[in-house]
Amino acid sequence: MRKVVCIIVTVVSLALFSGRAHAQRYLPGMTGVELRGGFANGSKSPLNYYTGFAVSGYTKRANRWVVGAEYLQKNYGYRNVSLPRTQFTAEGGYYLKFLSDPSKTLFLSIGGSAMAGYETVNWGDRILYDGSRLLVKDAFVYGG
């Protein structure tokens, strides 16, 4: 069933967008919006998923800044229940163009970004239904 739905969505998408092709070309002042989502760790369960969005802006010299946010939820089985581990993260970064072709269709950029957020396990409830206690605590997460 899932395979049939994927094929139908692909065919409808191709039919809707088969007219003109639109490309993002690093034009000064251009803003791009990215929506993303999927299943975490290749899981076949819809319970492990992520979703997010990002906004990009382009400067006069074809440099790019990015700001975004993401939500991730993974469930772990414990006896007959599942325990959710959830992350809320935000990202910001800046990328410098260091190489492009004369027709401005290929760009290579180098840069960096920082990510910070919060991770919670079982929504902060450390005592389980059977009296067991989770040793892991909610925490702030960060990276670059």
Side-chain angles (χ1 to χ4, degrees):
M1 180 67 181
R2 181 184 238 175
K3 192 175 187 179
V4 172
V5 171
C6 288
I7 291 171
I8 291 171
V9 168
T10 303
V11 169
V12 170
S13 297
L14 289 173
L16 289 175
F17 300 113
S18 62
R20 291 177 56 187
H22 300 280
Q24 197 161 337
R25 299 209 33 183
Y26 280 51
L27 298 175
M30 180 182 264
T31 302
V33 177
E34 174 186 347
L35 300 174
R36 57 184 169 244
F39 297 109
N41 287 348
S43 171
K44 294 181 181 175
S45 168
L47 299 176
N48 297 332
Y49 65 93
Y50 68 93
T51 184
F53 72 93
V55 176
S56 301
Y58 300 93
T59 66
K60 291 180 183 178
R61 297 183 181 203
N63 297 328
R64 177 172 65 109
W65 55 264
V66 179
V67 177
E70 192 165 294
Y71 173 81
L72 166 70
Q73 181 171 329
K74 292 174 69 175
N75 290 285
Y76 297 90
Y78 173 75
R79 297 194 179 171
N80 60 348
V81 297
S82 66
L83 303 175
R85 173 176 272 184
T86 306
Q87 288 182 352
F88 302 92
T89 56
E91 172 195 12
Y94 194 78
Y95 299 88
L96 300 169
K97 177 196 74 154
F98 74 93
L99 183 64
S100 70
D101 66 338
S103 66
K104 303 289 187 201
T105 56
L106 176 68
F107 291 90
L108 296 177
S109 300
I110 188 166
S113 65
M115 183 271 306
Y118 190 73
E119 178 180 75
T120 180
V121 178
N122 201 28
W123 299 107
D125 189 10
R126 295 184 63 197
I127 305 297
L128 302 179
Y129 73 96
D130 62 356
S132 298
R133 182 179 180 88
L134 289 173
L135 298 178
V136 66
K137 298 178 182 178
D138 295 353
F140 287 98
V141 294
Y142 56 91

